[in-house]
């Protein structure tokens, strides 16, 4: 399956560069040179992801983000607005990720891959492991039909492991997949969240420690 990506970028050279890289990676990519064209293309729906510049003529990236949320299209901002405050603002508004210009193409492609993987995971309605049931639509987790309170990252870590069973992941890999490429915390964060999942949900027999590597969720 080839994913469809909308690229809203008014700099032709940047737009062409990103389109070539995305197409070479197997994605379908349409370019919108201003916000009004992007809005029109979004009306057709069918997009799996949108890469949005913020400072677009016509409608800006923030306005397009609102439209994308209505269409359930995840957004990665790719913009020259590079301050920490700009990034925090964009993420709080609901962007999936935020990439500052100038960027490395390989990093953009990696972040696109992660965003699309999360989108696929969220389309799963229900995941089961033992007596634990994960409602992916409502982001709720039940053990023996009792609602269990998880933090957002505990939930995202559990969902990621369930979507990728029987694969050993390093702690660094789990950090990048669940916490994001810009997380600078210790890998002990992963250990703490794994411990919490084992304790809260009784998953010690399922979430296995892989010596000198990290963790694996084992399913028959």
């Amino acid at each position: 399956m080839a994913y469809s990506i909308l690229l809203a970028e008014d700099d032709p050279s940047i737009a062409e560069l990103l389109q070539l890289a995305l197409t070479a990676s197997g994605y379908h990519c349409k370019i919108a040179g201003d916000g009004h064209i992007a809005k029109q293309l979004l009306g057709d729906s069918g997009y799996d992801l949108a890469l949005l510049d913020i400072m677009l003529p016509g409608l800006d990236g923030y306005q397009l983000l609102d439209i994308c949320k209505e269409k359930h299209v995840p957004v990665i901002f790719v913009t020259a607005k590079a301050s920490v405050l700009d990034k925090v603002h964009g993420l709080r508004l609901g962007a999936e990720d935020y990439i500052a210009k100038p960027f490395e193409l390989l990093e953009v492609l990696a972040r696109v891959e992660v965003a699309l993987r999360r989108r696929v995971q969220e389309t799963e309605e229900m995941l089961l492991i033992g007596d634990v049931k994960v409602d992916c639509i409502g982001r709720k987790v039940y053990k023996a039909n009792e609602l269990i309170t998880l933090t957002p990252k505990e939930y995202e870590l559990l969902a990621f492991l369930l979507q990728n069973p029987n694969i050993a992941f390093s702690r660094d890999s789990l950090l990048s997949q669940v916490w994001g490429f810009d997380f600078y915390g210790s890998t002990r964060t992963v250990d703490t969240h794994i411990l919490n999942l084992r304790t809260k949900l009784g998953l010690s027999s399922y979430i296995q420690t892989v010596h000198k590597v990290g963790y694996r969720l084992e399913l028959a």
Side-chain angles (χ1 to χ4, degrees):
M1 171 183 167
Y3 293 106
S4 183
I5 298 175
L6 174 64
L7 172 59
E9 172 59 63
D10 62 327
D11 185 320
S13 61
I14 294 177
E16 182 178 0
L17 178 66
L18 285 171
Q19 184 183 45
L20 286 172
L22 291 166
T23 301
S25 298
Y27 303 115
H28 293 312
C29 181
K30 282 190 178 181
I31 295 175
D34 64 55
H36 290 301
I37 295 175
K39 179 182 179 181
Q40 182 179 357
L41 291 174
L42 283 167
D44 300 333
S45 191
Y47 289 100
D48 299 294
L49 181 67
L51 302 182
L52 306 180
D53 190 4
I54 292 177
M55 295 177 288
L56 290 167
L59 301 176
D60 65 25
Y62 296 135
Q63 292 170 298
L64 290 174
L65 174 62
D66 290 334
I67 298 171
C68 287
K69 289 193 290 187
E70 292 175 2
K71 300 287 185 179
H72 303 289
V73 177
V75 166
I76 296 178
F77 280 131
V78 184
T79 176
K81 293 173 71 67
S83 75
V84 172
L85 290 178
D86 288 326
K87 179 176 181 179
V88 170
H89 180 61
L91 294 173
R92 283 180 172 170
L93 287 176
E96 182 79 13
D97 206 342
Y98 195 106
I99 302 172
K101 299 175 183 176
F103 52 76
E104 294 288 341
L105 274 178
L106 287 178
E107 181 182 4
V108 174
L109 293 174
R111 291 180 185 236
V112 165
E113 181 182 345
V114 170
L116 289 171
R117 187 181 299 122
R118 285 176 181 163
R119 179 173 175 81
V120 170
Q121 291 170 358
E122 289 171 359
T123 61
E124 297 284 347
E125 293 186 5
M126 198 71 66
L127 298 171
L128 301 173
I129 178 170
D131 64 348
V132 174
K133 180 171 64 176
V134 180
D135 174 4
C136 298
I137 303 300
R139 291 176 66 93
K140 295 179 180 179
V141 178
Y142 301 86
K143 179 175 175 59
N145 294 320
E146 179 184 350
L147 180 64
I148 304 297
T149 300
L150 299 182
T151 67
K153 288 305 177 188
E154 287 171 357
Y155 170 84
E156 290 171 21
L157 177 58
L158 175 63
F160 176 79
L161 290 172
L162 282 170
Q163 287 288 345
N164 298 276
N166 305 315
I167 299 173
F169 291 98
S170 69
R171 290 170 177 82
D172 286 332
S173 177
L174 290 171
L175 280 175
S176 66
Q177 296 286 353
V178 178
W179 279 262
F181 287 88
D182 291 333
F183 181 79
Y184 295 109
S186 166
T187 54
R188 290 183 180 275
T189 298
V190 175
D191 297 331
T192 299
H193 282 70
I194 290 291
L195 175 61
N196 291 343
L197 291 178
R198 286 169 168 168
T199 302
K200 291 181 178 181
L201 301 174
L203 295 178
S204 295
S205 62
Y206 291 96
I207 303 177
Q208 298 291 314
T209 300
V210 182
H211 184 57
K212 294 186 177 179
V213 178
Y215 298 99
R216 177 182 63 244
L217 186 141
E218 291 191 355
L219 288 180

